[in-house]
Amino acid sequence: MEERTVNAAKDGPADGPAREWRGWRAAAEEALYGPDGFYRRPEGPAGHFRTSVHASPLFARAVARLLCLVDEALGRPVALDFVDMAAGRGELAGGVLAALPPEVAARARVHAVEITGRPGGLDERIAWRSEPPRRITGLLFANEWLDNVPVDVAEVDGAGVPRRVLVRRDGTERLGEPLSPAEERWLARWWPLPAEPGLRAEIGLPRDTAWAAAVARVERGLAVAVDYAHSAASRPPFGTLTGFREGRETAPVPDGSCDITAHVALDACAAHGPAGARLLTQRDALRALGVSGARPPLSLASTHPGEYVRALARAGEAAELTAAGGLGGFGWLVQPVGLSGPAALPALFVDVPDHEEH
């Protein structure tokens, strides 16, 4: 890093916008959400990476079941909100609405939150918004949203001091100025860096703020964040910043050509919301919501072969969603607001190992 810094400094900002040095947060913000940003491209996120929503309709059905549990805990309100943060092209919002029982669907107000325009063919009952409603009674669900809230990166310099990593549009990096006091405090609390040159961390403070702001809009109900995650006990020594393009992991280059993402310190986000937050894996959460990868009994193949084939396919999809080394390893941050405690949502709080860190 230091050798590249010396060389890169010779052709610094004076070479024009393409050579401008910025922190990763500002660079990724423009690359993802600017006028020509990655998330404004017509193919949408599904054209470049596969989330749980795209892996199987079982995921949307599980979220619909969770919404029904929230509905019961709220006493079946006249209007029940479902807010899909970072909705992509509305796949999850549409799947949840389709999976709801008619009585619940009749009261549901479904909101898809995304920066792009409304896609064609979306169910007309789904409201398309650039930000979540100010007052939510129901379920706010953020599937792979926080990992795309841009953050700055810190790297320890030769003197053992964490400094901001600067990047150019072509992905070249160098070390910049020292961190702000608030960033230093966040690192000290959530991602302490030993004084070893080259160690890196993503400064998750903007994600804590974004999550707290989203949860603040929930008057009564539940807020859930699902994402690639790590905890204080197992932070990666060199960070997780990476890119995705056309279904493959690639170098993070902030030119709008690829997704730029980093795993989320969900334990830090949890600490910035109301009391009662819970951290668990997607494997545990989906199993609690009835998603099982168990194979159907072989006897079904001879008595009802069609049903056996369909059940076998569902089991395969469920196994992918709950695989410990894959999608099942995602973190779930479950934040109740104005509910009567864990007993109100037994499917996510009973007979599930407690992974809470904060």
Side-chain angles (χ1 to χ4, degrees):
M1 174 66 74
E2 291 185 45
E3 182 177 351
R4 283 191 290 156
T5 298
V6 172
N7 294 335
K10 296 176 182 178
D11 57 0
D15 291 338
R19 298 288 186 177
E20 180 184 0
W21 293 101
R22 296 181 292 176
W24 266 106
R25 182 184 179 190
E29 183 74 35
E30 180 177 333
L32 296 178
Y33 307 115
D36 300 315
F38 176 82
Y39 277 99
R40 296 189 185 277
R41 295 172 62 159
E43 69 271 22
H48 295 270
F49 50 86
R50 190 165 178 257
T51 71
S52 297
V53 179
H54 308 120
S56 170
L58 292 177
F59 188 80
R61 293 172 195 166
V63 177
R65 172 165 170 69
L66 178 58
L67 179 59
C68 289
L69 291 172
V70 172
D71 183 44
E72 293 175 12
L74 293 171
R76 297 182 175 83
V78 174
L80 177 69
D81 292 309
F82 175 69
V83 181
D84 179 14
M85 298 291 296
R89 294 301 179 264
E91 299 95 336
L92 179 60
V96 168
L97 184 56
L100 291 175
E103 189 278 327
V104 179
R107 292 183 287 108
R109 298 184 300 195
V110 180
H111 311 267
V113 181
E114 188 54 85
I115 64 166
T116 58
R118 184 186 182 93
L122 189 67
D123 192 309
E124 63 182 13
R125 294 173 293 175
I126 299 173
W128 195 260
R129 315 172 58 104
S130 60
E131 61 179 35
R134 292 187 179 276
R135 296 180 177 179
I136 298 168
T137 299
L139 173 62
L140 180 144
F141 200 87
N143 184 58
E144 296 195 45
W145 168 50
L146 288 173
D147 70 297
N148 286 127
V149 173
V151 293
D152 273 314
V153 177
E155 181 175 322
V156 179
D157 66 12
V161 177
R163 304 179 75 88
R164 193 179 319 281
V165 175
L166 304 182
V167 64
R168 294 192 306 203
R169 184 177 167 84
D170 64 2
T172 305
E173 294 181 332
R174 76 177 187 189
L175 294 187
E177 70 277 7
L179 305 178
S180 71
E183 291 169 328
E184 290 180 342
R185 288 192 297 271
W186 191 92
L187 282 183
R189 172 65 182 87
W190 294 107
W191 198 330
L193 285 173
E196 181 180 333
L199 294 184
R200 290 168 66 121
E202 291 104 29
I203 305 168
L205 191 57
R207 293 169 172 177
D208 298 349
T209 302
W211 178 245
V215 173
R217 299 195 177 212
V218 181
E219 291 190 330
R220 293 183 65 227
L222 198 70
V224 177
V226 181
D227 237 310
Y228 299 96
H230 44 59
S231 66
S234 58
R235 304 285 190 223
F238 302 105
T240 62
L241 187 73
T242 191
F244 282 93
R245 182 188 295 113
E246 297 177 354
R248 296 185 178 183
E249 189 169 359
T250 185
V253 179
D255 61 359
S257 68
C258 67
D259 184 28
I260 298 172
T261 179
H263 294 198
V264 183
L266 281 180
D267 48 355
C269 294
H272 286 76
R278 164 102 184 195
L279 294 171
L280 61 160
T281 66
Q282 175 156 297
R283 180 181 179 88
D284 290 337
L286 291 185
R287 284 184 168 183
L289 291 168
V291 177
S292 170
R295 295 169 62 92
L298 191 58
S299 59
L300 190 64
S302 57
T303 58
H304 297 85
E307 176 56 29
Y308 176 78
V309 171
R310 289 189 292 272
L312 195 62
R314 288 194 298 269
E317 293 173 3
E320 181 182 3
L321 289 172
T322 58
L327 295 175
F330 272 47
W332 278 46
L333 165 52
V334 180
Q335 177 69 71
V337 180
L339 298 178
S340 58
L345 292 167
L348 285 184
F349 288 92
V350 175
D351 297 327
V352 177
D354 192 344
H355 298 286
E356 190 166 356
E357 298 283 350
H358 66 278

